[in-house]
Amino acid sequence: MVKNGNQGSNHAVRVFRVQSAFTELEGQVHGPGELAETTGLDDSTVHRILQSGIHDGIFVREGRGLYRLGPGAARLGLKALTHAPNTDVAHEVLEDLRKATDGGLVFLFGLAPFGGARKQCLDMAVGDSDLAELGISRRALLLVFQSLRTGACGRAILAHLPEVIQEGVLAEPPPVEAGPGAFRDQGALLTSLKAVREQGVAVDSEECAAGWNGLAAPVRWDGLIMGSVSVLKPQHAMPQWSASALWAMKEAADAFTETGGPGAWSAETASSF
């Protein structure tokens, strides 16, 4: 018997919940009971989903009654990464944010597809500025900007990742080249992530580089965290972020978060930098 639309949709949701459970639980190998408890599904439903996914490589059986995510799940993830920001629309959003923050250094970051929980710069709007004015070397800048625990740009992403990934990032020390304001106390860092989720933005004081303050907001695609949009300003020029800057940041993030339409980041406007 062919499933109707609602039945097929509900099944897809249940499959996704089981896949997501693997990313939320500690370790890579899990049994149906553990997955059922995490997803809220019954054991028999989870077992059927696992069995049906083995053929497509979504799940791999590891010993008696244990499973892990298979290469099929990775292929789905890589396919999702093809939904990248629309180049022209994205850069226009960044330029508008630069004007709204009176010449701030504006960046768009995305989660890196390889190399663990990291971020990478996808685009920027810095005018005629030389990034060397941040006062750190290009290599140090790369290391600091890759870390998810450093700067508003990183914490805006980290705050919305699964706890198991957060724990891995928090276990890493902050980059040696990070600014004097970088969080070095784990408790304070966790508290800051809660504030990001509550306020919708992340702010930092000299986390990426001495003398520079940061502001960032998370970028989502179809509900999933994909990256962040951020701005850096000299501390003497912006000791505290104004209400207009906060508003402009949220508007920029909203432009990237639109899906299914002419947004800066959507399946309908996929392209790559």
Side-chain angles (χ1 to χ4, degrees), residues 105-169:
L105 304 181
V106 180
F107 303 89
L108 173 64
F109 292 97
L111 276 169
F114 303 105
R118 297 283 188 274
K119 64 183 184 296
Q120 61 185 21
C121 184
L122 302 178
D123 196 7
M124 65 182 75
V126 297
D128 296 327
S129 300
D130 183 352
L131 294 185
E133 67 186 75
L134 287 171
I136 55 179
S137 68
R138 181 174 292 274
R139 178 180 179 278
L141 182 66
L142 178 65
L143 292 174
V144 171
F145 273 12
Q146 278 186 339
S147 173
L148 291 179
R149 62 171 293 156
T150 306
C153 51
R155 291 185 292 105
I157 300 172
L158 183 60
H160 299 282
L161 289 172
E163 285 188 16
V164 64
I165 298 179
Q166 288 183 5
E167 291 171 0
V169 173

Side-chain angles (χ1 to χ4, degrees), residues 85-99 106-108 122-127 256 264 273:
N86 177 289
T87 306
D88 295 334
V89 178
H91 195 74
E92 183 178 343
V93 172
L94 299 185
E95 290 290 354
D96 288 345
L97 181 57
R98 175 171 166 78
K99 293 176 183 176
V106 180
F107 303 89
L108 173 64
L122 302 178
D123 196 7
M124 65 182 75
V126 297
F256 285 105
F273 290 100

Side-chain angles (χ1 to χ4, degrees), residues 47-66:
H47 186 264
R48 286 196 300 271
I49 290 172
L50 292 170
Q51 290 298 311
S52 63
I54 290 175
H55 177 73
D56 295 324
I58 304 299
F59 306 110
V60 174
R61 186 184 290 110
E62 289 280 348
R64 186 179 178 87
L66 294 174

